[in-house]
Amino acid sequence: AADLGIAFDGDGDRVQMVDHTGAIVDGDELLYIIATDIQERERLPKGTGVVGTLMSNLGLELALKERGIPFVRAKVGDRYVMAEMLERKWVLGGENSGHLLCAQHATTGDAIIAALQVLLALRRRGQSLAKERLAWKKLPQVLINVRFSGDIDPTTDSQVQTACADVTAAMAGRGRVLLRKSGTEPLVRVMVEGDDEAVVLLHAQRLA
């Protein structure tokens, strides 16, 4: 039986993996493996961090924080991730889609390079992908699409903003709210993350 599987997208800039149990390992999980391996090899200078996006799982941010690795979010899109990396002179960033940027090896997303970095980490640690995948816990994330009409942006409504602030306060640093307008459809994407999936679902439904 295979130890793991590696999948690339059509143009080879995104990678996702699967462990020997059949569990999919996404970009957030791969990014954590690479970041902590670089840190352990003392190739991640003190104060240097990782760039994710607005859609990166909150569990990743909290897990990196526990390791003393700074984490910042860019807008969704590899160009925004790279811009943030360049501004901060950081070497690592990526999206949960598997578009990972390893600036110490390439100037753009390269799925083969990213996959090799993960394999290097697994080999050095002598661990399976299945075990490394469990190094941190993804927080439950609920996404609801809400259709609207007219030219008014619902995300700027004072009642909506107050409700978002209330939910954020209720989660006390262990959750977050994100409202994003679709660029192609009259939709607002309501995303809520937190420790308790049932509570997260109730918050998302309330906001929607």
Side-chain angles (χ1 to χ4, degrees), residues 57-108:
N57 193 277
L58 180 60
L60 171 64
E61 179 177 352
L62 297 175
L64 290 173
K65 183 178 180 180
E66 288 179 3
R67 295 288 297 256
I69 300 175
F71 179 82
V72 299
R73 296 177 184 272
K75 290 193 293 186
V76 175
D78 62 290
R79 61 176 174 166
Y80 299 113
V81 174
M82 179 58 80
E84 197 72 45
M85 288 167 59
L86 290 172
E87 182 177 336
R88 296 173 180 271
K89 296 183 171 59
W90 290 359
V91 298
L92 190 60
E95 303 182 88
N96 57 359
S97 65
H99 198 143
L100 308 182
L101 301 164
C102 303
Q104 71 272 47
H105 300 295
T107 58
T108 187

mmCIF file of all heavy atoms in Angstrom, residues 57-108:
data_model
loop_
_atom_site.group_PDB
_atom_site.id
_atom_site.type_symbol
_atom_site.label_atom_id
_atom_site.label_comp_id
_atom_site.label_asym_id
_atom_site.label_seq_id
_atom_site.Cartn_x
_atom_site.Cartn_y
_atom_site.Cartn_z
ATOM 1 N N ASN A 57 -7.900 28.405 7.564
ATOM 2 C CA ASN A 57 -8.589 27.953 8.773
ATOM 3 C C ASN A 57 -7.993 28.610 10.010
ATOM 4 O O ASN A 57 -6.769 28.714 10.140
ATOM 5 C CB ASN A 57 -8.504 26.430 8.891
ATOM 6 C CG ASN A 57 -9.442 25.866 9.930
ATOM 7 O OD1 ASN A 57 -9.134 25.839 11.119
ATOM 8 N ND2 ASN A 57 -10.602 25.421 9.489
ATOM 9 N N LEU A 58 -8.857 29.029 10.933
ATOM 10 C CA LEU A 58 -8.396 29.672 12.153
ATOM 11 C C LEU A 58 -7.511 28.737 12.975
ATOM 12 O O LEU A 58 -6.596 29.175 13.668
ATOM 13 C CB LEU A 58 -9.588 30.137 12.987
ATOM 14 C CG LEU A 58 -9.268 30.832 14.310
ATOM 15 C CD1 LEU A 58 -8.431 32.089 14.084
ATOM 16 C CD2 LEU A 58 -10.553 31.168 15.060
ATOM 17 N N GLY A 59 -7.761 27.435 12.874
ATOM 18 C CA GLY A 59 -6.932 26.471 13.589
ATOM 19 C C GLY A 59 -5.473 26.562 13.187
ATOM 20 O O GLY A 59 -4.570 26.373 14.017
ATOM 21 N N LEU A 60 -5.211 26.858 11.907
ATOM 22 C CA LEU A 60 -3.837 27.027 11.435
ATOM 23 C C LEU A 60 -3.191 28.216 12.115
ATOM 24 O O LEU A 60 -2.043 28.131 12.591
ATOM 25 C CB LEU A 60 -3.825 27.209 9.914
ATOM 26 C CG LEU A 60 -2.477 27.604 9.295
ATOM 27 C CD1 LEU A 60 -1.450 26.494 9.494
ATOM 28 C CD2 LEU A 60 -2.631 27.934 7.808
ATOM 29 N N GLU A 61 -3.899 29.324 12.167
ATOM 30 C CA GLU A 61 -3.371 30.535 12.800
ATOM 31 C C GLU A 61 -3.034 30.283 14.270
ATOM 32 O O GLU A 61 -1.960 30.663 14.753
ATOM 33 C CB GLU A 61 -4.386 31.670 12.687
ATOM 34 C CG GLU A 61 -3.944 32.965 13.332
ATOM 35 C CD GLU A 61 -4.941 34.095 13.153
ATOM 36 O OE1 GLU A 61 -5.922 33.917 12.397
ATOM 37 O OE2 GLU A 61 -4.731 35.155 13.757
ATOM 38 N N LEU A 62 -3.940 29.610 14.983
ATOM 39 C CA LEU A 62 -3.728 29.344 16.406
ATOM 40 C C LEU A 62 -2.571 28.367 16.620
ATOM 41 O O LEU A 62 -1.775 28.525 17.558
ATOM 42 C CB LEU A 62 -5.016 28.790 17.027
ATOM 43 C CG LEU A 62 -6.220 29.742 17.016
ATOM 44 C CD1 LEU A 62 -7.465 29.028 17.535
ATOM 45 C CD2 LEU A 62 -5.939 30.988 17.835
ATOM 46 N N ALA A 63 -2.461 27.359 15.746
ATOM 47 C CA ALA A 63 -1.390 26.376 15.879
ATOM 48 C C ALA A 63 -0.021 26.996 15.626
ATOM 49 O O ALA A 63 0.951 26.704 16.333
ATOM 50 C CB ALA A 63 -1.627 25.214 14.912
ATOM 51 N N LEU A 64 0.069 27.878 14.617
ATOM 52 C CA LEU A 64 1.332 28.560 14.352
ATOM 53 C C LEU A 64 1.689 29.496 15.503
ATOM 54 O O LEU A 64 2.860 29.603 15.889
ATOM 55 C CB LEU A 64 1.249 29.334 13.036
ATOM 56 C CG LEU A 64 1.203 28.490 11.753
ATOM 57 C CD1 LEU A 64 0.948 29.380 10.539
ATOM 58 C CD2 LEU A 64 2.494 27.701 11.563
ATOM 59 N N LYS A 65 0.687 30.146 16.063
ATOM 60 C CA LYS A 65 0.919 31.051 17.190
ATOM 61 C C LYS A 65 1.516 30.289 18.365
ATOM 62 O O LYS A 65 2.428 30.781 19.051
ATOM 63 C CB LYS A 65 -0.388 31.722 17.592
ATOM 64 C CG LYS A 65 -0.250 32.740 18.719
ATOM 65 C CD LYS A 65 -1.593 33.391 19.029
ATOM 66 C CE LYS A 65 -1.454 34.415 20.160
ATOM 67 N NZ LYS A 65 -2.763 35.058 20.468
ATOM 68 N N GLU A 66 1.021 29.080 18.603
ATOM 69 C CA GLU A 66 1.549 28.262 19.691
ATOM 70 C C GLU A 66 3.015 27.904 19.469
ATOM 71 O O GLU A 66 3.768 27.684 20.421
ATOM 72 C CB GLU A 66 0.716 26.983 19.836
ATOM 73 C CG GLU A 66 -0.666 27.212 20.419
ATOM 74 C CD GLU A 66 -1.474 25.940 20.523
ATOM 75 O OE1 GLU A 66 -0.931 24.857 20.188
ATOM 76 O OE2 GLU A 66 -2.648 26.010 20.937
ATOM 77 N N ARG A 67 3.428 27.855 18.205
ATOM 78 C CA ARG A 67 4.823 27.567 17.872
ATOM 79 C C ARG A 67 5.671 28.826 17.804
ATOM 80 O O ARG A 67 6.852 28.779 17.483
ATOM 81 C CB ARG A 67 4.901 26.839 16.520
ATOM 82 C CG ARG A 67 4.272 25.449 16.495
ATOM 83 C CD ARG A 67 5.098 24.445 17.270
ATOM 84 N NE ARG A 67 6.409 24.270 16.690
ATOM 85 C CZ ARG A 67 6.783 23.200 15.957
ATOM 86 N NH1 ARG A 67 5.920 22.220 15.751
ATOM 87 N NH2 ARG A 67 7.996 23.098 15.470
ATOM 88 N N GLY A 68 5.055 29.985 18.057
ATOM 89 C CA GLY A 68 5.787 31.244 17.999
ATOM 90 C C GLY A 68 6.035 31.733 16.593
ATOM 91 O O GLY A 68 6.943 32.546 16.355
ATOM 92 N N ILE A 69 5.231 31.272 15.639
ATOM 93 C CA ILE A 69 5.383 31.672 14.240
ATOM 94 C C ILE A 69 4.288 32.688 13.898
ATOM 95 O O ILE A 69 3.103 32.363 13.936
ATOM 96 C CB ILE A 69 5.281 30.462 13.290
ATOM 97 C CG1 ILE A 69 6.366 29.441 13.611
ATOM 98 C CG2 ILE A 69 5.384 30.910 11.827
ATOM 99 C CD1 ILE A 69 6.261 28.159 12.793
ATOM 100 N N PRO A 70 4.648 33.938 13.570
ATOM 101 C CA PRO A 70 3.641 34.952 13.212
ATOM 102 C C PRO A 70 2.834 34.527 11.983
ATOM 103 O O PRO A 70 3.345 33.826 11.108
ATOM 104 C CB PRO A 70 4.480 36.195 12.910
ATOM 105 C CG PRO A 70 5.778 35.972 13.614
ATOM 106 C CD PRO A 70 6.012 34.490 13.562
ATOM 107 N N PHE A 71 1.585 34.970 11.941
ATOM 108 C CA PHE A 71 0.699 34.631 10.827
ATOM 109 C C PHE A 71 -0.127 35.856 10.476
ATOM 110 O O PHE A 71 -0.700 36.495 11.354
ATOM 111 C CB PHE A 71 -0.221 33.475 11.219
ATOM 112 C CG PHE A 71 -1.193 33.063 10.145
ATOM 113 C CD1 PHE A 71 -0.801 32.215 9.125
ATOM 114 C CD2 PHE A 71 -2.503 33.523 10.157
ATOM 115 C CE1 PHE A 71 -1.697 31.821 8.138
ATOM 116 C CE2 PHE A 71 -3.402 33.142 9.177
ATOM 117 C CZ PHE A 71 -2.999 32.288 8.168
ATOM 118 N N VAL A 72 -0.177 36.199 9.203
ATOM 119 C CA VAL A 72 -1.021 37.295 8.742
ATOM 120 C C VAL A 72 -1.865 36.807 7.568
ATOM 121 O O VAL A 72 -1.500 35.848 6.883
ATOM 122 C CB VAL A 72 -0.202 38.539 8.314
ATOM 123 C CG1 VAL A 72 0.605 39.085 9.471
ATOM 124 C CG2 VAL A 72 0.700 38.217 7.136
ATOM 125 N N ARG A 73 -2.984 37.489 7.360
ATOM 126 C CA ARG A 73 -3.899 37.108 6.282
ATOM 127 C C ARG A 73 -3.878 38.143 5.164
ATOM 128 O O ARG A 73 -3.939 39.348 5.426
ATOM 129 C CB ARG A 73 -5.329 36.973 6.822
ATOM 130 C CG ARG A 73 -5.491 35.855 7.835
ATOM 131 C CD ARG A 73 -6.913 35.811 8.390
ATOM 132 N NE ARG A 73 -7.035 34.796 9.429
ATOM 133 C CZ ARG A 73 -7.339 33.530 9.191
ATOM 134 N NH1 ARG A 73 -7.584 33.132 7.945
ATOM 135 N NH2 ARG A 73 -7.434 32.669 10.186
ATOM 136 N N ALA A 74 -3.835 37.648 3.944
ATOM 137 C CA ALA A 74 -3.968 38.490 2.754
ATOM 138 C C ALA A 74 -5.328 38.212 2.121
ATOM 139 O O ALA A 74 -6.020 37.265 2.506
ATOM 140 C CB ALA A 74 -2.848 38.176 1.760
ATOM 141 N N LYS A 75 -5.711 39.031 1.158
ATOM 142 C CA LYS A 75 -6.920 38.733 0.403
ATOM 143 C C LYS A 75 -6.734 37.418 -0.348
ATOM 144 O O LYS A 75 -5.610 36.974 -0.596
ATOM 145 C CB LYS A 75 -7.223 39.874 -0.585
ATOM 146 C CG LYS A 75 -7.664 41.149 0.083
ATOM 147 C CD LYS A 75 -8.262 42.141 -0.917
ATOM 148 C CE LYS A 75 -7.221 42.670 -1.889
ATOM 149 N NZ LYS A 75 -7.794 43.731 -2.766
ATOM 150 N N VAL A 76 -7.844 36.782 -0.712
ATOM 151 C CA VAL A 76 -7.772 35.521 -1.430
ATOM 152 C C VAL A 76 -7.135 35.739 -2.804
ATOM 153 O O VAL A 76 -7.511 36.644 -3.540
ATOM 154 C CB VAL A 76 -9.180 34.906 -1.589
ATOM 155 C CG1 VAL A 76 -9.116 33.643 -2.440
ATOM 156 C CG2 VAL A 76 -9.770 34.596 -0.221
ATOM 157 N N GLY A 77 -6.150 34.928 -3.127
ATOM 158 C CA GLY A 77 -5.431 35.056 -4.395
ATOM 159 C C GLY A 77 -3.935 35.024 -4.159
ATOM 160 O O GLY A 77 -3.433 35.724 -3.274
ATOM 161 N N ASP A 78 -3.227 34.209 -4.922
ATOM 162 C CA ASP A 78 -1.788 34.032 -4.690
ATOM 163 C C ASP A 78 -1.003 35.329 -4.890
ATOM 164 O O ASP A 78 0.012 35.546 -4.226
ATOM 165 C CB ASP A 78 -1.222 32.936 -5.598
ATOM 166 C CG ASP A 78 -1.367 33.270 -7.070
ATOM 167 O OD1 ASP A 78 -2.501 33.273 -7.582
ATOM 168 O OD2 ASP A 78 -0.345 33.511 -7.737
ATOM 169 N N ARG A 79 -1.484 36.230 -5.757
ATOM 170 C CA ARG A 79 -0.747 37.484 -5.965
ATOM 171 C C ARG A 79 -0.773 38.344 -4.702
ATOM 172 O O ARG A 79 0.200 39.044 -4.404
ATOM 173 C CB ARG A 79 -1.295 38.253 -7.157
ATOM 174 C CG ARG A 79 -2.743 38.666 -7.040
ATOM 175 C CD ARG A 79 -3.177 39.522 -8.225
ATOM 176 N NE ARG A 79 -4.602 39.809 -8.181
ATOM 177 C CZ ARG A 79 -5.185 40.737 -8.915
ATOM 178 N NH1 ARG A 79 -4.459 41.472 -9.736
ATOM 179 N NH2 ARG A 79 -6.478 40.935 -8.833
ATOM 180 N N TYR A 80 -1.888 38.278 -3.964
ATOM 181 C CA TYR A 80 -1.974 39.046 -2.722
ATOM 182 C C TYR A 80 -1.099 38.418 -1.632
ATOM 183 O O TYR A 80 -0.499 39.125 -0.821
ATOM 184 C CB TYR A 80 -3.430 39.132 -2.254
ATOM 185 C CG TYR A 80 -4.332 39.820 -3.249
ATOM 186 C CD1 TYR A 80 -5.333 39.116 -3.912
ATOM 187 C CD2 TYR A 80 -4.176 41.169 -3.546
ATOM 188 C CE1 TYR A 80 -6.159 39.742 -4.842
ATOM 189 C CE2 TYR A 80 -4.995 41.809 -4.468
ATOM 190 C CZ TYR A 80 -5.989 41.088 -5.119
ATOM 191 O OH TYR A 80 -6.794 41.706 -6.042
ATOM 192 N N VAL A 81 -1.049 37.088 -1.635
ATOM 193 C CA VAL A 81 -0.177 36.387 -0.689
ATOM 194 C C VAL A 81 1.278 36.754 -0.959
ATOM 195 O O VAL A 81 2.036 37.089 -0.049
ATOM 196 C CB VAL A 81 -0.377 34.861 -0.778
ATOM 197 C CG1 VAL A 81 0.649 34.132 0.098
ATOM 198 C CG2 VAL A 81 -1.791 34.474 -0.350
ATOM 199 N N MET A 82 1.675 36.709 -2.218
ATOM 200 C CA MET A 82 3.060 37.025 -2.576
ATOM 201 C C MET A 82 3.402 38.480 -2.249
ATOM 202 O O MET A 82 4.501 38.778 -1.762
ATOM 203 C CB MET A 82 3.303 36.742 -4.055
ATOM 204 C CG MET A 82 4.723 37.061 -4.518
ATOM 205 S SD MET A 82 6.014 36.162 -3.593
ATOM 206 C CE MET A 82 5.940 34.568 -4.422
ATOM 207 N N ALA A 83 2.457 39.390 -2.507
ATOM 208 C CA ALA A 83 2.705 40.808 -2.208
ATOM 209 C C ALA A 83 2.968 41.006 -0.714
ATOM 210 O O ALA A 83 3.861 41.773 -0.318
ATOM 211 C CB ALA A 83 1.516 41.652 -2.657
ATOM 212 N N GLU A 84 2.204 40.324 0.115
ATOM 213 C CA GLU A 84 2.385 40.422 1.569
ATOM 214 C C GLU A 84 3.726 39.816 1.984
ATOM 215 O O GLU A 84 4.428 40.353 2.850
ATOM 216 C CB GLU A 84 1.243 39.694 2.279
ATOM 217 C CG GLU A 84 1.077 40.038 3.745
ATOM 218 C CD GLU A 84 0.520 41.419 3.991
ATOM 219 O OE1 GLU A 84 -0.446 41.811 3.308
ATOM 220 O OE2 GLU A 84 1.065 42.106 4.881
ATOM 221 N N MET A 85 4.096 38.711 1.346
ATOM 222 C CA MET A 85 5.387 38.081 1.638
ATOM 223 C C MET A 85 6.547 39.013 1.279
ATOM 224 O O MET A 85 7.504 39.165 2.041
ATOM 225 C CB MET A 85 5.512 36.764 0.873
ATOM 226 C CG MET A 85 4.624 35.644 1.397
ATOM 227 S SD MET A 85 4.529 34.228 0.248
ATOM 228 C CE MET A 85 6.253 33.745 0.131
ATOM 229 N N LEU A 86 6.450 39.633 0.120
ATOM 230 C CA LEU A 86 7.519 40.521 -0.322
ATOM 231 C C LEU A 86 7.647 41.729 0.597
ATOM 232 O O LEU A 86 8.753 42.152 0.934
ATOM 233 C CB LEU A 86 7.252 40.972 -1.768
ATOM 234 C CG LEU A 86 7.411 39.901 -2.844
ATOM 235 C CD1 LEU A 86 6.919 40.426 -4.187
ATOM 236 C CD2 LEU A 86 8.855 39.441 -2.952
ATOM 237 N N GLU A 87 6.497 42.282 0.995
ATOM 238 C CA GLU A 87 6.525 43.465 1.860
ATOM 239 C C GLU A 87 7.175 43.153 3.205
ATOM 240 O O GLU A 87 7.916 43.971 3.758
ATOM 241 C CB GLU A 87 5.097 43.979 2.076
ATOM 242 C CG GLU A 87 5.038 45.235 2.935
ATOM 243 C CD GLU A 87 3.619 45.764 3.083
ATOM 244 O OE1 GLU A 87 2.770 45.475 2.210
ATOM 245 O OE2 GLU A 87 3.365 46.461 4.073
ATOM 246 N N ARG A 88 6.923 41.948 3.712
ATOM 247 C CA ARG A 88 7.431 41.573 5.032
ATOM 248 C C ARG A 88 8.776 40.830 4.972
ATOM 249 O O ARG A 88 9.351 40.504 5.999
ATOM 250 C CB ARG A 88 6.400 40.697 5.752
ATOM 251 C CG ARG A 88 5.103 41.421 6.044
ATOM 252 C CD ARG A 88 4.042 40.480 6.593
ATOM 253 N NE ARG A 88 2.795 41.202 6.861
ATOM 254 C CZ ARG A 88 2.520 41.799 8.006
ATOM 255 N NH1 ARG A 88 3.384 41.748 9.015
ATOM 256 N NH2 ARG A 88 1.380 42.440 8.177
ATOM 257 N N LYS A 89 9.197 40.508 3.734
ATOM 258 C CA LYS A 89 10.417 39.729 3.531
ATOM 259 C C LYS A 89 10.304 38.344 4.179
ATOM 260 O O LYS A 89 11.270 37.819 4.746
ATOM 261 C CB LYS A 89 11.657 40.474 4.045
ATOM 262 C CG LYS A 89 11.948 41.774 3.307
ATOM 263 C CD LYS A 89 13.223 42.433 3.801
ATOM 264 C CE LYS A 89 13.631 43.608 2.932
ATOM 265 N NZ LYS A 89 12.609 44.666 2.848
ATOM 266 N N TRP A 90 9.116 37.762 4.076
ATOM 267 C CA TRP A 90 8.884 36.403 4.554
ATOM 268 C C TRP A 90 9.012 35.434 3.384
ATOM 269 O O TRP A 90 8.883 35.829 2.217
ATOM 270 C CB TRP A 90 7.503 36.286 5.183
ATOM 271 C CG TRP A 90 7.377 37.015 6.495
ATOM 272 C CD1 TRP A 90 8.339 37.721 7.149
ATOM 273 C CD2 TRP A 90 6.197 37.108 7.297
ATOM 274 N NE1 TRP A 90 7.855 38.245 8.315
ATOM 275 C CE2 TRP A 90 6.536 37.885 8.431
ATOM 276 C CE3 TRP A 90 4.899 36.611 7.183
ATOM 277 C CZ2 TRP A 90 5.613 38.169 9.441
ATOM 278 C CZ3 TRP A 90 3.976 36.898 8.187
ATOM 279 C CH2 TRP A 90 4.332 37.671 9.302
ATOM 280 N N VAL A 91 9.252 34.165 3.675
ATOM 281 C CA VAL A 91 9.554 33.215 2.609
ATOM 282 C C VAL A 91 8.455 32.195 2.349
ATOM 283 O O VAL A 91 8.563 31.390 1.421
ATOM 284 C CB VAL A 91 10.870 32.455 2.903
ATOM 285 C CG1 VAL A 91 12.035 33.418 2.958
ATOM 286 C CG2 VAL A 91 10.767 31.652 4.207
ATOM 287 N N LEU A 92 7.395 32.217 3.163
ATOM 288 C CA LEU A 92 6.397 31.154 3.040
ATOM 289 C C LEU A 92 4.978 31.700 3.143
ATOM 290 O O LEU A 92 4.671 32.541 3.991
ATOM 291 C CB LEU A 92 6.628 30.117 4.151
ATOM 292 C CG LEU A 92 5.847 28.811 4.075
ATOM 293 C CD1 LEU A 92 6.169 28.058 2.786
ATOM 294 C CD2 LEU A 92 6.168 27.936 5.293
ATOM 295 N N GLY A 93 4.122 31.213 2.266
ATOM 296 C CA GLY A 93 2.719 31.608 2.295
ATOM 297 C C GLY A 93 1.899 30.660 1.458
ATOM 298 O O GLY A 93 2.434 29.819 0.730
ATOM 299 N N GLY A 94 0.591 30.782 1.546
ATOM 300 C CA GLY A 94 -0.235 29.901 0.723
ATOM 301 C C GLY A 94 -1.708 29.971 1.045
ATOM 302 O O GLY A 94 -2.141 30.664 1.973
ATOM 303 N N GLU A 95 -2.472 29.235 0.239
ATOM 304 C CA GLU A 95 -3.926 29.179 0.357
ATOM 305 C C GLU A 95 -4.359 27.758 0.679
ATOM 306 O O GLU A 95 -3.667 26.789 0.375
ATOM 307 C CB GLU A 95 -4.575 29.621 -0.958
ATOM 308 C CG GLU A 95 -4.162 31.014 -1.413
ATOM 309 C CD GLU A 95 -4.881 31.422 -2.688
ATOM 310 O OE1 GLU A 95 -5.987 31.984 -2.581
ATOM 311 O OE2 GLU A 95 -4.338 31.171 -3.770
ATOM 312 N N ASN A 96 -5.552 27.637 1.272
ATOM 313 C CA ASN A 96 -6.019 26.290 1.604
ATOM 314 C C ASN A 96 -6.313 25.451 0.365
ATOM 315 O O ASN A 96 -6.427 24.226 0.448
ATOM 316 C CB ASN A 96 -7.243 26.353 2.531
ATOM 317 C CG ASN A 96 -8.393 27.159 1.946
ATOM 318 O OD1 ASN A 96 -8.304 27.708 0.856
ATOM 319 N ND2 ASN A 96 -9.481 27.247 2.688
ATOM 320 N N SER A 97 -6.396 26.095 -0.790
ATOM 321 C CA SER A 97 -6.576 25.366 -2.049
ATOM 322 C C SER A 97 -5.338 24.573 -2.430
ATOM 323 O O SER A 97 -5.394 23.711 -3.318
ATOM 324 C CB SER A 97 -6.889 26.354 -3.179
ATOM 325 O OG SER A 97 -5.770 27.206 -3.403
ATOM 326 N N GLY A 98 -4.203 24.854 -1.761
ATOM 327 C CA GLY A 98 -2.970 24.151 -2.071
ATOM 328 C C GLY A 98 -2.001 24.952 -2.909
ATOM 329 O O GLY A 98 -0.979 24.439 -3.352
ATOM 330 N N HIS A 99 -2.314 26.234 -3.118
ATOM 331 C CA HIS A 99 -1.381 27.111 -3.837
ATOM 332 C C HIS A 99 -0.375 27.637 -2.815
ATOM 333 O O HIS A 99 -0.642 28.607 -2.114
ATOM 334 C CB HIS A 99 -2.134 28.267 -4.491
ATOM 335 C CG HIS A 99 -1.354 28.938 -5.572
ATOM 336 N ND1 HIS A 99 -1.935 29.417 -6.713
ATOM 337 C CD2 HIS A 99 -0.019 29.174 -5.709
ATOM 338 C CE1 HIS A 99 -1.013 29.952 -7.502
ATOM 339 N NE2 HIS A 99 0.156 29.808 -6.896
ATOM 340 N N LEU A 100 0.767 26.969 -2.710
ATOM 341 C CA LEU A 100 1.773 27.290 -1.712
ATOM 342 C C LEU A 100 2.965 27.981 -2.357
ATOM 343 O O LEU A 100 3.408 27.600 -3.441
ATOM 344 C CB LEU A 100 2.233 26.015 -0.992
ATOM 345 C CG LEU A 100 1.113 25.142 -0.408
ATOM 346 C CD1 LEU A 100 1.700 23.948 0.323
ATOM 347 C CD2 LEU A 100 0.207 25.946 0.516
ATOM 348 N N LEU A 101 3.483 28.999 -1.669
ATOM 349 C CA LEU A 101 4.585 29.804 -2.185
ATOM 350 C C LEU A 101 5.805 29.630 -1.280
ATOM 351 O O LEU A 101 5.766 30.009 -0.106
ATOM 352 C CB LEU A 101 4.178 31.272 -2.244
ATOM 353 C CG LEU A 101 2.943 31.571 -3.123
ATOM 354 C CD1 LEU A 101 2.384 32.941 -2.814
ATOM 355 C CD2 LEU A 101 3.283 31.452 -4.588
ATOM 356 N N CYS A 102 6.849 29.022 -1.819
ATOM 357 C CA CYS A 102 8.097 28.806 -1.088
ATOM 358 C C CYS A 102 9.152 29.708 -1.717
ATOM 359 O O CYS A 102 9.866 29.307 -2.646
ATOM 360 C CB CYS A 102 8.517 27.342 -1.158
ATOM 361 S SG CYS A 102 7.262 26.187 -0.536
ATOM 362 N N ALA A 103 9.229 30.956 -1.237
ATOM 363 C CA ALA A 103 10.048 31.970 -1.897
ATOM 364 C C ALA A 103 11.541 31.704 -1.820
ATOM 365 O O ALA A 103 12.307 32.283 -2.579
ATOM 366 C CB ALA A 103 9.735 33.351 -1.302
ATOM 367 N N GLN A 104 11.961 30.828 -0.908
ATOM 368 C CA GLN A 104 13.384 30.509 -0.848
ATOM 369 C C GLN A 104 13.807 29.601 -2.004
ATOM 370 O O GLN A 104 14.994 29.428 -2.262
ATOM 371 C CB GLN A 104 13.746 29.860 0.495
ATOM 372 C CG GLN A 104 13.242 28.439 0.711
ATOM 373 C CD GLN A 104 11.853 28.399 1.304
ATOM 374 O OE1 GLN A 104 10.960 29.093 0.857
ATOM 375 N NE2 GLN A 104 11.661 27.545 2.313
ATOM 376 N N HIS A 105 12.807 29.049 -2.731
ATOM 377 C CA HIS A 105 13.104 28.135 -3.836
ATOM 378 C C HIS A 105 12.531 28.586 -5.179
ATOM 379 O O HIS A 105 13.024 28.164 -6.228
ATOM 380 C CB HIS A 105 12.565 26.734 -3.531
ATOM 381 C CG HIS A 105 13.140 26.116 -2.299
ATOM 382 N ND1 HIS A 105 14.473 25.782 -2.178
ATOM 383 C CD2 HIS A 105 12.564 25.782 -1.118
ATOM 384 C CE1 HIS A 105 14.694 25.261 -0.986
ATOM 385 N NE2 HIS A 105 13.558 25.255 -0.316
ATOM 386 N N ALA A 106 11.479 29.402 -5.175
ATOM 387 C CA ALA A 106 10.831 29.805 -6.429
ATOM 388 C C ALA A 106 10.144 31.147 -6.235
ATOM 389 O O ALA A 106 9.813 31.535 -5.113
ATOM 390 C CB ALA A 106 9.816 28.754 -6.869
ATOM 391 N N THR A 107 9.937 31.849 -7.323
ATOM 392 C CA THR A 107 9.317 33.181 -7.266
ATOM 393 C C THR A 107 7.817 33.137 -7.503
ATOM 394 O O THR A 107 7.161 34.170 -7.498
ATOM 395 C CB THR A 107 9.959 34.106 -8.309
ATOM 396 O OG1 THR A 107 9.812 33.514 -9.614
ATOM 397 C CG2 THR A 107 11.434 34.317 -8.012
ATOM 398 N N THR A 108 7.275 31.947 -7.704
ATOM 399 C CA THR A 108 5.838 31.798 -7.917
ATOM 400 C C THR A 108 5.408 30.445 -7.368
ATOM 401 O O THR A 108 6.232 29.661 -6.904
ATOM 402 C CB THR A 108 5.499 31.898 -9.420
ATOM 403 O OG1 THR A 108 4.068 31.902 -9.580
ATOM 404 C CG2 THR A 108 6.077 30.732 -10.194
#
